[in-house]
Amino acid sequence: MAAGLAERSYMELGPAPRAPPRRLREVSFSPPGTAPVPSGRYGDSAGGFCYRECAQLGAATRNRCVRWTTSGDTLELVEESLDTELLNNAVRLHIQGCPLLPGGVHLCEVQNHLVLLLVTVQSVHRVLLPHPAYAYRGDLITESQMQSVFTDVGKINFRDPSSYYLIPSVPGLAANSVASAAWLSSDGEALFALPSAAGGIFVIKLPPHDVPGVVSVVELKQSSVVQRFLTGWMPTAIRGDGPSDVPISLAVHCLDHDAFLFALCQDHKLRMWSYKDQMCLMVADLLEFMPVSRDLRLAAGTGHRLRLAFSQSLGLYLGVYMHAPKRGQFCVFQLVSTESNRYSLDHISSLFSSQETLIDFALTSAEIWALWHNEENQTIVKYINFEQNVAGQWNQVFMQPLPEEEVTVRHDQDPRETYLEYLFTPGRFSNAAIQKALQIFSQGTERHMDLTWDELKKEVTLAVENEFQGSVTEYECSPEEFCQLQVDFWSKFCACCLQYQEALSRPLALLLNPYTNMVCLLKKGFVSFLVPCSLVDHLYLLSNEHLLTEEDAAIFDDLEMSRDVVCLVQCLRLIGESISMEIAFIMEMACSRLQPPEKAAEQILGDLIANDTENVMEDIHSKLQEIRNPIHAIGVLIREMDYETDTDMERAHPLNMRLNLTQLYGSSTAVSVVCWGVCKIATIRFQICRDLLILQQLLLRLGDPMVLGGGQLFQSQQDLLHRTSPLLLSYYLIRWASQCLASDIPIDTLESNLQHLSVLELADTTVLTPHKLVSSPQTIVELFFRDVARKHIVSRLFLQPNTSLIETSLNWPHLITAIVADFLPLLWPSNPGFLFPECLIGSCQYTQLQEYIRLLQPWCHVNMGSCCFMMGRCYLVMGEGHKALDCFCQAASEVGKEEFLDRLIQPEEGEMVSTPRLQYYSKVLRLLDMVGLPELVIQLASVAIMESADDWRTQATLRTCIFKHHLDLGHNSDAYVALTQNPDPSRQLDCLRQLVVVLCERSQLQDLVEFPYVNLHNEVVGIIESHARAVDLMTHNYYELLYAFHIYRHNYRKAGTVMFEYGMRLGREVRTLRGLQKQGNCFLAAINCLRLIRPEYAWIVQPASGAVYERPGASPKRSHDGECAASPVTTRQIEILELEDLERECVLARIRLTLVQHDLSTAAVAGNSTPEETLALLIRAGLFDTAITLCQTFKLPLTAVFEGLTFKCIKLQLGGEAAQAEAWEWLASNQLSALVTTKESSATDEAWRLLSSYLERYPSQNSLYHRCVINKLLAHGIPLPNWLINSYKTVDAAQLLRLYLNYDLLEEAVDLVSEYVDAVLGKGHQYFGIEFPLSATAPMVWLPYTAIDQLLQALRESSANPSNVLLYQKLHDKMEDYHQKVSVATRDRLYLRA
């Protein structure tokens, strides 16, 4: 592709704005001294201003301009930027009663200000605005938003006398001219040139804004011209024989200290004035350059236009449009200066136009751009290069048509849905047009303002449905009638929208940026941009007469090939023009329903042949005959449209901050234009591919060797057919994406998505940038371009080596072409790059991504795995986990083959590197785990295990993962199986430990006990034991679990050992009533276990004393220097406990429990007390029966029991009523023997009775218990009860005598001896336990003579007491009597023996 590029046609890109109408800040004022003037005299006008440095990369004003529209006395100003969003960038000035002249708005740049110069019918105004370069001086502009120059316009005093001036009535403003010019002098003066009512021009000069001065008015008089330049020439107004010299178009060219004022007058002459000298320097009759008639010469030239274009290298160009009835002519001149300060015009070119109504035209040093309205009120824009185009052939600009008026509703469609899709397809209707139509349709009942796109859609639906429902009067109607009524109302609303869209689309002016060569079309409601067409689009869209001329142009280096391609395009045009909307819909539906486009093309061809009433097929056949090599021509056309690349486009480099590239073409306006350009290209190319498919089907059907170019192979046709089909589907997909709106995403969804992406380690890629807030709903292509693609493209264009763009100024036609050409490969489905789907997933556009992949998958075999992965992510978010898992598994087969999946599996730092597919599974498993889908994690991990047969480490990780999630789900058996299959012993042990803990916490102990634990028995026991010894005994039941574990396996000794240890620890650590209860049960369980074993094996090992166990994770003991201290070597003697030992411990535990139940205060000390300590506690508590049981069990003497009971009896006898009441409590805890009494007994009596019963029930050797009781009583000075004396006399009277003597009870001792002697002699001998009293025939008897002698001695020594003397005498006499009787008995025995 070489020649013809410079003369390429343009196309209009003007997507209807989806944002609510811009809020304009209102500024209204009325200049003093003015009277209201009707504003209907002048029509609407528009214009624009471009900053001098708008093409420089580093300038603050880069890609910025100001545009305006005037309507009556209202001026709307908007500052636009292609790079950043400008805040407060729109203002509406209402100069009350002073309509603005069309074209009466002028902007000028000075060092620190942007000066706005306004011309109304009554006044001129100067408004000072801050210059953007001054506002951002020295700063790098990297923000996505900036303040506009209109931000502080509300602070300006428009009524300041220095800022305006009323047009003087003399000379006055010409009534039949709207021309004006304004400029700033080098001294800062504001000058306004206006047509004078008397003819000629007058100039109003305002002094500099910061210098006091007076306003001056200068009239450029024609008399000076007559005197100095054109002798004999007189003003036509004086002669009266032709048109006047009133200027109808003014233009100014500023010099350093002068200004040339050019005036195109009604007399068809061009005059050039010097403002400084106030002289007319040149007059040229323009009728000399055009064919004229006398009528034209005599008629006033009211439609002429004048434009200037200055080039530093070429000088000043003048473009003049000469209007004549039914035709027009453009003349281009170059201003030439001669000696003596004389000037002349050098005629460059004359260009003719058949159009009648010229709206506007723009001039550069090489081109003319013109805007017309034709007879059908259609907009026509053309341009021509007047230097190179000798033939005068204008180049076409393909205008954006208005939305089609007819909407086809098929029988299977809902009218409401069809019309809503028609109205709200992006780019078709503007938000403002729909809102105005809604206002009219609702008959003004509601005020609809600032509605977003979605809100507007709801309001439209509601309004039309309300109108429809209100008009249906019949209760019943057929479905057909109902549908037709809906269509009627919706079509009525659409007609209203069309009317307003047409009004808003009315063009007012052309804006040509001389610095960037950008051409814009200023319309009533918005602005559109003109961009160059690509070669294919240029050929396909050209009108027939233009296309014929292309045959002679060398489109390609091979002229024959160029002609073949042009003929081929003509065939495609014939096919496209014969396709109706119904037939075109066949291909649309085939693409949407994933049917082969070849079949649809074949069907369309059949319909075209069947309905060919105009012999189109014959024309196509004859045209094909002209193509030398159709197969090659088709291949060339396909290559021109194919954006497939072999390698992935390089990822974006960091953009250069110093050149301010971060925001280049980043505004919503630029994004909209670029993406709409992509949409337009995709739409055109889709039609080309459709027509090409139909043509190829026709070639196959014809099968003519001549047509096929000399016997081309059938296979070549099939190959081309299969190349065209993906091409068509690619453009269909791009067009769909360009019209698919992105969804608004809640913040929580964005945060959740960011978490998912962070798990996948995709959150830090260049794809994902913070979601920018935009005023209108974006399409997904706009979203992609704004956030991702733009940076890649700018980086590619400006940061590549050997690039020349960075050295030159920005050129809009070249840049927009390059941007679109670089953007399409990023969107191209069959390219290896995957940025577009990545952007969609990063922006949470899940529904749109699903539809994108649905349209892509059947025919595109690139990035299949990546698409499956993305579809899985979408399913995951939508809650369809099993579908997501299927997609993830399908994507695994492409790991290692696709760039996106390769980035996905990049290992983390320090992560063990395994095979790519296992790394992929690992990432997906993390994602599923984070989302909370354990069942899917298990399934995917099971799949991954099959892939990792040779990698035991990965298998261990996966088995652990499966175990964890089975355990979380409560699949205990499956978790156990996964545990046993883990090849890593350490991980297996960790899983086993987790299994034990979790099942214990869930109280699922039966599962835990019943698992077989093959080769893991000791580990399980060790884990449970370590937990049992490390945790609180009352909140965890690990001992009971271990007991059940051993019982289930019939290991009764181990079970008994566990329960005995449990009981011992309970006594030491849980000294509460509940703890003692559990301790008793533990000992009982241990006893039961040992009773189930054969007696010779019924023993256990005594657990370690003090319960000092090695606990996992315990900190080692350290010495003073910090080193781990060596544990002392101790030889612990193993103690064996048999069944009897356990039974004794059980009894002791039961006794402790009894004690604590009786007195809770003893719990703290009773839990781990010895038998001796427990005995003391029992005696203190008064539990004497229990104490005796304890003594009998542990073979302890009962002495302490009797002493304790005796002491309590003493206390009762000496105590009061409180002691009596308290005594009944412990007395009730002892089993008293039944006693029949005739009177009510006291607690003291019951205590003595209990003591008496114990003495009777528990005899002792040598009457030990009697002696200790009597000792206790006598020690406390308590008289011995008679029952005790009588009881002891029977057992050991001699010991009783000794006790009396020990405690100096002499009288009682004398009485006892007297009774004892009497008993020996036979009087009451049964009371002293003497079976046979003293007699010669009875066995020998004895008396305790030693004690009696001690008693006599004591009485003798205490003879000072008279009573003792009597006692002594009594005892002495008694003994004497006894001795006599003993002597007699002795003699009798001796006698009998002899």
Side-chain angles (χ1 to χ4, degrees):
M1 192 197 320
L5 180 60
E7 293 298 311
R8 187 74 48 77
S9 57
Y10 276 63
M11 76 167 63
E12 179 192 9
L13 297 182
R18 297 184 294 276
R22 182 183 281 110
R23 277 189 173 274
L24 294 152
R25 287 184 299 158
E26 303 278 352
V27 177
S28 180
F29 65 95
S30 175
T34 59
V37 175
S39 58
R41 174 183 169 188
Y42 305 110
D44 296 344
S45 67
F49 164 79
C50 302
Y51 294 95
R52 277 192 298 267
E53 296 182 346
C54 63
Q56 296 182 16
L57 274 174
T61 54
R62 184 190 65 196
N63 284 328
R64 285 173 72 165
C65 66
V66 178
R67 59 181 176 88
W68 62 81
T69 57
T70 65
S71 179
D73 59 359
T74 300
L75 167 65
E76 292 185 2
L77 291 150
V78 178
E79 186 180 17
E80 296 277 9
S81 172
L82 296 180
D83 294 347
T84 59
E85 304 297 338
L86 297 177
L87 305 177
N88 306 305
N89 65 327
V91 64
R92 179 184 287 124
L93 296 180
H94 184 202
I95 308 175
Q96 297 170 357
C98 296
L100 285 103
L101 293 180
V105 181
H106 308 271
L107 279 165
C108 305
E109 284 183 271
V110 291
Q111 185 176 6
N112 296 335
H113 293 96
L114 183 66
V115 183
L116 175 63
L117 303 176
L118 305 177
V119 182
T120 73
V121 296
Q122 298 189 76
S123 57
V124 294
H125 300 263
R126 173 176 57 191
V127 179
L128 294 178
L129 302 169
H131 196 281
Y134 176 74
Y136 287 91
R137 184 169 53 193
D139 295 337
L140 286 177
I141 305 168
T142 58
E143 302 90 354
S144 59
Q145 294 180 334
M146 292 173 57
Q147 293 293 340
S148 166
V149 295
F150 301 126
T151 298
D152 297 327
V153 73
K155 301 177 181 178
I156 298 174
N157 182 9
F158 290 91
R159 297 170 63 90
D160 184 355
S162 66
S163 66
Y164 74 94
Y165 185 73
L166 298 183
I167 297 175
S169 56
V170 178
L173 189 64
N176 55 351
S177 175
V178 295
S180 67
W183 71 97
L184 290 178
S185 70
S186 57
D187 297 327
E189 300 160 329
L191 299 111
F192 302 86
L194 299 169
S196 172
I201 305 168
F202 69 94
V203 180
I204 300 174
K205 182 176 72 172
L206 300 183
H209 70 278
D210 53 354
V211 177
V214 295
V215 178
S216 65
V217 179
V218 175
E219 189 172 3
L220 302 181
K221 298 181 180 179
Q222 296 174 1
S223 58
S224 61
V225 180
V226 177
Q227 294 171 3
R228 300 179 59 178
F229 292 102
L230 299 175
T231 305
W233 176 84
M234 294 180 63
T236 54
I238 299 174
R239 293 200 307 266
D241 57 352
S244 69
D245 58 352
V246 174
I248 56 174
S249 185
L250 290 170
V252 65
H253 175 62
C254 296
L255 303 175
D256 288 340
H257 298 288
D258 197 1
F260 288 164
L261 194 60
F262 297 88
L264 182 58
C265 303
Q266 290 182 359
D267 58 1
H268 315 293
K269 290 183 173 60
L270 177 66
R271 295 175 172 83
M272 172 180 158
W273 295 81
S274 167
Y275 172 73
K276 177 182 177 183
D277 300 329
Q278 299 182 16
M279 291 189 301
C280 181
L281 303 180
M282 182 193 70
V283 177
D285 187 356
L286 298 181
L287 293 182
E288 296 176 1
F289 302 98
M290 61 184 297
V292 296
S293 62
R294 177 174 174 80
D295 293 339
L296 179 61
R297 186 175 293 277
L298 295 177
T302 57
H304 302 335
R305 304 288 179 91
L306 172 64
R307 297 289 185 269
L308 303 181
F310 178 73
S311 169
Q312 292 287 350
S313 58
L314 300 175
L316 183 65
Y317 283 80
L318 289 84
V320 178
Y321 174 73
M322 301 298 293
H323 174 72
K326 297 184 180 180
R327 62 188 174 90
Q329 177 180 338
F330 291 91
C331 295
V332 181
F333 304 96
Q334 188 173 16
L335 185 65
V336 180
S337 64
T338 61
E339 66 280 356
S340 303
N341 202 26
R342 293 180 178 272
Y343 293 87
S344 63
L345 295 180
D346 184 8
H347 180 250
I348 302 298
S349 178
S350 289
L351 307 167
F352 298 92
S353 169
S354 61
Q355 308 295 333
E356 183 172 356
T357 308
L358 180 74
I359 304 299
D360 192 16
F361 83 97
L363 176 72
T364 71
S365 58
E367 293 175 342
I368 290 178
W369 290 79
L371 167 64
W372 292 275
H373 265 172
N374 64 7
E375 295 176 354
E376 290 81 19
N377 204 30
Q378 293 177 333
T379 301
I380 296 173
V381 178
K382 294 183 179 180
Y383 81 98
I384 190 169
N385 189 310
F386 53 78
E387 290 190 337
Q388 297 179 2
N389 198 323
V390 181
Q393 182 69 45
W394 289 81
N395 297 294
Q396 283 190 300
V397 176
F398 303 112
M399 306 305 295
Q400 183 166 301
L402 289 171
E404 56 275 9
E405 297 183 9
E406 295 296 327
V407 180
T408 303
V409 182
R410 302 192 312 277
H411 66 279
D412 59 339
Q413 287 183 311
D414 178 23
R416 178 175 64 182
E417 294 299 325
T418 304
Y419 276 96
L420 283 174
E421 182 182 357
Y422 166 76
L423 287 169
F424 289 94
T425 296
R428 184 170 285 159
F429 287 96
S430 68
N431 188 303
I434 298 177
Q435 284 204 34
K436 289 186 177 182
L438 180 61
Q439 195 70 35
I440 296 300
F441 196 78
S442 302
Q443 298 177 352
T445 54
E446 296 181 18
R447 183 77 173 163
H448 300 285
M449 291 295 291
D450 297 335
L451 296 178
T452 64
W453 199 243
D454 289 336
E455 292 170 347
L456 188 59
K457 191 174 184 178
K458 294 176 184 176
E459 290 293 333
V460 167
T461 306
L462 190 62
V464 177
E465 290 296 320
N466 286 343
E467 288 286 322
F468 167 67
Q469 297 292 343
S471 66
V472 177
T473 56
E474 298 181 4
Y475 289 101
E476 294 184 4
C477 61
S478 65
E480 292 78 12
E481 293 173 340
F482 183 84
C483 183
Q484 186 57 46
L485 281 172
Q486 278 189 306
V487 169
D488 292 343
F489 276 90
W490 278 104
S491 59
K492 176 184 173 184
F493 181 78
C494 285
C496 198
C497 291
L498 273 169
Q499 179 182 351
Y500 281 107
Q501 185 67 27
E502 184 176 2
L504 293 173
S505 301
R506 181 165 61 91
L508 299 177
L510 282 170
L511 172 59
L512 191 152
N513 187 328
Y515 310 105
T516 63
N517 296 322
M518 180 174 68
V519 183
C520 299
L521 190 57
L522 304 179
K523 300 186 177 184
K524 177 68 175 175
F526 53 95
V527 60
S528 62
F529 297 79
L530 306 185
V531 300
C533 282
S534 64
L535 174 63
V536 176
D537 304 339
H538 166 75
L539 293 176
Y540 187 75
L541 295 175
L542 273 179
S543 59
N544 289 328
E545 60 271 16
H546 285 78
L547 191 59
L548 291 174
T549 63
E550 292 287 341
E551 291 189 26
D552 300 325
I555 302 172
F556 300 99
D557 295 333
D558 185 349
L559 185 59
E560 290 294 330
M561 177 51 61
S562 300
R563 290 176 178 172
D564 281 355
V565 171
V566 171
C567 289
L568 178 63
V569 172
Q570 287 176 328
C571 293
L572 298 180
R573 286 278 299 275
L574 288 171
I575 293 173
E577 290 169 358
S578 61
I579 293 178
S580 64
M581 290 182 61
E582 291 77 9
I583 295 177
F585 189 71
I586 295 174
M587 185 62 77
E588 298 278 348
M589 291 307 296
C591 296
S592 176
R593 294 174 179 174
L594 310 181
Q595 298 167 352
E598 300 94 329
K599 299 292 184 184
E602 190 175 359
Q603 180 184 348
I604 292 173
L605 178 62
D607 292 343
L608 291 178
I609 294 173
N611 301 315
D612 186 14
T613 59
E614 299 180 359
N615 297 322
V616 175
M617 291 300 146
E618 290 185 10
D619 296 340
I620 295 172
H621 190 272
S622 62
K623 206 69 181 172
L624 286 172
Q625 300 286 347
E626 302 176 14
I627 304 177
R628 181 176 55 87
N629 191 338
I631 299 298
H632 189 39
I634 292 173
V636 169
L637 197 61
I638 290 175
R639 282 197 303 274
E640 286 294 325
M641 294 189 294
D642 194 354
Y643 286 91
E644 184 173 342
T645 58
D646 295 332
T647 57
D648 183 22
M649 294 184 67
E650 295 182 20
R651 303 189 76 79
H653 299 281
L655 295 180
N656 194 326
M657 297 287 289
R658 184 54 59 183
L659 288 176
N660 191 15
L661 295 179
T662 54
Q663 301 301 330
L664 185 64
Y665 296 124
S667 72
S668 57
T669 302
V671 170
S672 176
V673 170
V674 172
C675 297
W676 186 245
V678 169
C679 183
K680 291 280 285 187
I681 290 173
T683 303
I684 296 167
R685 301 281 177 87
F686 175 78
Q687 295 173 1
I688 295 173
C689 293
R690 178 199 65 194
D691 300 343
L692 192 57
L693 272 179
I694 297 169
L695 181 65
Q696 290 173 16
Q697 292 289 0
L698 177 62
L699 288 172
L700 288 174
R701 180 172 293 198
L702 290 173
D704 190 344
M706 296 302 295
V707 173
L708 296 178
Q712 286 288 339
L713 294 176
F714 176 79
Q715 185 62 39
S716 299
Q717 299 179 62
Q718 289 290 339
D719 291 343
L720 287 177
L721 198 65
H722 294 312
R723 285 178 61 192
T724 309
S725 179
L727 207 62
L728 175 138
L729 291 169
S730 297
Y731 281 116
Y732 176 82
L733 188 61
I734 293 173
R735 187 191 68 181
W736 168 84
S738 300
Q739 296 177 339
C740 177
L741 291 176
S743 305
D744 291 331
I745 307 301
I747 294 297
D748 55 346
T749 305
L750 286 172
E751 291 175 351
S752 173
N753 183 55
L754 192 61
Q755 291 174 357
H756 295 182
L757 293 170
S758 64
V759 169
L760 298 173
E761 296 172 28
L762 293 175
D764 56 348
T765 65
T766 56
V767 173
L768 303 165
T769 56
H771 191 66
K772 296 183 177 67
L773 297 176
V774 291
S775 58
S776 63
Q778 302 178 96
T779 65
I780 56 176
V781 170
E782 290 172 348
L783 177 69
F784 175 53
F785 180 78
R786 178 191 296 272
D787 291 349
V788 180
R790 182 181 61 85
K791 296 177 182 177
H792 283 261
I793 294 167
V794 171
S795 171
R796 184 180 176 86
L797 291 177
F798 289 91
L799 301 181
Q800 296 298 318
N802 303 322
T803 179
S804 60
L805 287 173
I806 200 169
E807 300 170 2
T808 60
S809 60
L810 299 175
N811 184 291
W812 169 257
H814 291 170
L815 272 178
I816 190 66
T817 303
I819 288 171
V820 172
D822 277 356
F823 189 25
L824 278 168
L826 292 175
L827 291 170
W828 201 251
S830 56
N831 279 341
F834 205 59
L835 290 176
F836 185 43
E838 279 190 77
C839 174
L840 294 183
I841 204 72
S843 302
C844 304
Q845 305 298 319
Y846 304 114
T847 306
Q848 294 84 343
L849 181 57
Q850 281 181 297
E851 180 64 13
Y852 175 82
I853 296 174
R854 185 190 75 83
L855 294 171
L856 184 71
Q857 276 186 329
W859 57 272
C860 181
H861 304 297
V862 179
N863 287 321
M864 294 176 63
S866 302
C867 286
C868 284
F869 180 83
M870 287 299 186
M871 187 65 88
R873 284 275 290 109
C874 294
Y875 282 137
L876 210 57
V877 175
M878 301 295 181
E880 299 182 87
H882 290 285
K883 290 183 181 179
L885 182 62
D886 292 341
C887 292
F888 290 142
C889 292
Q890 291 175 28
S893 61
E894 302 300 318
V895 172
K897 304 175 185 177
E898 299 176 7
E899 185 269 343
F900 169 74
L901 294 178
D902 289 345
R903 280 193 293 114
L904 186 68
I905 63 173
Q906 290 296 323
E908 298 179 13
E909 185 177 351
E911 184 181 6
M912 181 180 59
V913 178
S914 56
T915 64
R917 194 172 294 188
L918 290 177
Q919 288 176 329
Y920 166 78
Y921 283 133
S922 175
K923 284 289 179 68
V924 177
L925 285 170
R926 291 185 203 171
L927 177 62
L928 294 175
D929 189 15
M930 201 206 74
V931 175
L933 296 172
E935 293 180 349
L936 302 186
V937 173
I938 293 167
Q939 293 181 42
L940 186 60
S942 302
V943 173
I945 284 173
M946 293 186 286
E947 300 273 349
S948 61
D950 301 329
D951 189 348
W952 68 269
R953 288 187 176 86
T954 303
Q955 281 228 349
T957 303
L958 294 171
R959 295 283 183 193
T960 303
C961 178
I962 292 175
F963 162 81
K964 172 184 177 298
H965 288 91
H966 271 313
L967 191 60
D968 292 342
L969 289 170
H971 303 163
N972 300 339
S973 299
D974 295 327
Y976 171 75
V977 172
L979 178 153
T980 57
Q981 294 174 344
N982 199 317
D984 186 351
S986 64
R987 284 181 180 264
Q988 191 179 50
L989 194 60
D990 292 339
C991 294
L992 186 61
R993 189 174 292 111
Q994 189 176 359
L995 179 72
V996 170
V997 173
V998 170
L999 293 189
C1000 284
E1001 290 175 350
R1002 295 178 185 166
S1003 300
Q1004 295 175 334
L1005 304 180
Q1006 184 171 357
D1007 288 347
L1008 185 58
V1009 168
E1010 293 179 357
F1011 288 141
Y1013 300 110
V1014 178
N1015 298 325
L1016 293 172
H1017 182 274
N1018 293 336
E1019 286 79 0
V1020 175
V1021 172
I1023 290 169
I1024 301 176
E1025 282 183 350
S1026 64
H1027 278 84
R1029 292 166 179 168
V1031 300
D1032 183 44
L1033 293 175
M1034 298 305 290
T1035 56
H1036 298 81
N1037 54 357
Y1038 287 107
Y1039 276 110
E1040 295 173 6
L1041 169 64
L1042 196 56
Y1043 170 74
F1045 182 87
H1046 289 309
I1047 290 292
Y1048 184 76
R1049 287 159 180 76
H1050 307 292
N1051 194 342
Y1052 299 116
R1053 181 188 293 166
K1054 281 280 190 182
T1057 303
V1058 168
M1059 294 313 287
F1060 186 73
E1061 180 182 328
Y1062 188 21
M1064 288 179 61
R1065 285 194 61 201
L1066 283 169
R1068 285 193 298 269
E1069 301 173 22
V1070 187
R1071 299 185 178 185
T1072 62
L1073 176 61
R1074 187 177 168 215
L1076 291 172
Q1077 289 172 339
K1078 289 179 72 72
Q1079 184 187 43
N1081 293 335
C1082 291
F1083 288 150
L1084 285 174
I1087 292 170
N1088 288 339
C1089 290
L1090 292 188
R1091 284 178 177 165
L1092 293 173
I1093 308 174
R1094 284 186 295 175
E1096 59 267 30
Y1097 298 110
W1099 54 268
I1100 63 172
V1101 176
Q1102 169 76 36
S1105 175
V1108 179
Y1109 306 107
E1110 290 290 334
R1111 295 187 182 181
S1115 175
K1117 300 300 179 184
R1118 300 182 184 273
S1119 61
H1120 65 277
D1121 57 357
E1123 297 296 326
C1124 292
S1127 57
V1129 179
T1130 58
T1131 56
R1132 184 170 62 87
Q1133 188 173 1
I1134 297 176
E1135 183 178 352
I1136 302 299
L1137 299 178
E1138 296 183 349
L1139 182 60
E1140 294 78 7
D1141 300 323
L1142 265 64
E1143 289 173 342
R1144 283 198 298 270
E1145 286 294 333
C1146 183
V1147 170
L1148 179 59
R1150 204 163 52 242
I1151 289 173
R1152 290 171 182 155
L1153 178 62
T1154 303
L1155 172 64
V1156 174
Q1157 286 174 337
H1158 178 78
D1159 184 2
L1160 285 175
S1161 63
T1162 61
V1165 293
N1168 194 35
S1169 58
T1170 63
E1172 292 79 6
E1173 294 168 345
T1174 306
L1175 178 62
L1177 294 173
L1178 290 171
I1179 293 171
R1180 191 183 73 176
L1183 303 179
F1184 297 105
D1185 284 351
T1186 307
I1188 290 172
T1189 303
L1190 177 66
C1191 292
Q1192 291 173 341
T1193 302
F1194 288 92
K1195 297 181 173 54
L1196 299 176
L1198 298 180
T1199 307
V1201 177
F1202 282 100
E1203 287 182 351
L1205 180 55
T1206 303
F1207 183 69
K1208 283 192 175 289
C1209 292
I1210 294 170
K1211 287 178 67 177
L1212 280 174
Q1213 189 163 330
L1214 300 177
E1217 293 183 0
Q1220 294 283 330
E1222 183 183 350
W1224 283 113
E1225 294 181 11
W1226 61 264
L1227 283 171
S1229 300
N1230 298 285
Q1231 294 182 356
L1232 296 173
S1233 57
L1235 177 65
V1236 179
T1237 59
T1238 57
K1239 65 174 182 177
E1240 183 179 353
S1241 61
S1242 65
T1244 306
D1245 297 338
E1246 291 298 317
W1248 286 113
R1249 191 162 66 85
L1250 179 63
L1251 179 60
S1252 173
S1253 66
Y1254 283 168
L1255 289 172
E1256 293 176 5
R1257 198 183 310 163
Y1258 305 110
S1260 60
Q1261 186 177 5
N1262 298 325
S1263 61
L1264 175 63
Y1265 302 142
H1266 283 79
R1267 186 168 63 250
C1268 75
V1269 170
I1270 294 173
N1271 254 324
K1272 197 74 171 175
L1273 290 172
L1274 294 178
H1276 286 80
I1278 303 299
L1280 299 182
N1282 291 331
W1283 61 267
L1284 180 58
I1285 296 173
N1286 294 334
S1287 172
Y1288 197 25
K1289 285 193 301 187
T1290 307
V1291 178
D1292 192 353
Q1295 184 61 36
L1296 179 60
L1297 176 60
R1298 295 188 192 97
L1299 289 172
Y1300 279 155
L1301 289 173
N1302 288 342
Y1303 290 95
D1304 290 333
L1305 299 177
L1306 302 181
E1307 185 176 355
E1308 289 81 354
V1310 171
D1311 293 340
L1312 177 61
V1313 172
S1314 297
E1315 292 177 4
Y1316 197 181
V1317 171
D1318 290 341
V1320 171
L1321 294 177
K1323 182 181 178 182
H1325 62 86
Q1326 66 275 10
Y1327 297 115
F1328 283 86
I1330 298 173
E1331 187 176 356
F1332 300 102
L1334 179 65
S1335 74
T1337 58
M1340 291 185 292
V1341 293
W1342 59 276
L1343 283 176
Y1345 287 108
T1346 304
I1348 294 172
D1349 289 341
Q1350 290 175 353
L1351 177 59
L1352 290 170
Q1353 179 63 30
L1355 290 172
R1356 191 182 302 114
E1357 290 176 356
S1358 58
S1359 58
N1361 188 345
S1363 60
N1364 287 345
V1365 174
L1366 294 175
L1367 291 173
Y1368 175 80
Q1369 189 62 46
K1370 179 181 177 180
L1371 180 59
H1372 184 269
D1373 293 344
K1374 194 70 174 176
M1375 290 304 296
E1376 287 294 334
D1377 181 52
Y1378 173 72
H1379 288 146
Q1380 290 175 6
K1381 290 180 180 179
V1382 168
S1383 298
V1384 172
T1386 301
R1387 285 194 300 270
D1388 290 342
R1389 176 177 287 276
L1390 292 174
Y1391 176 76
L1392 290 175
R1393 199 177 276 185

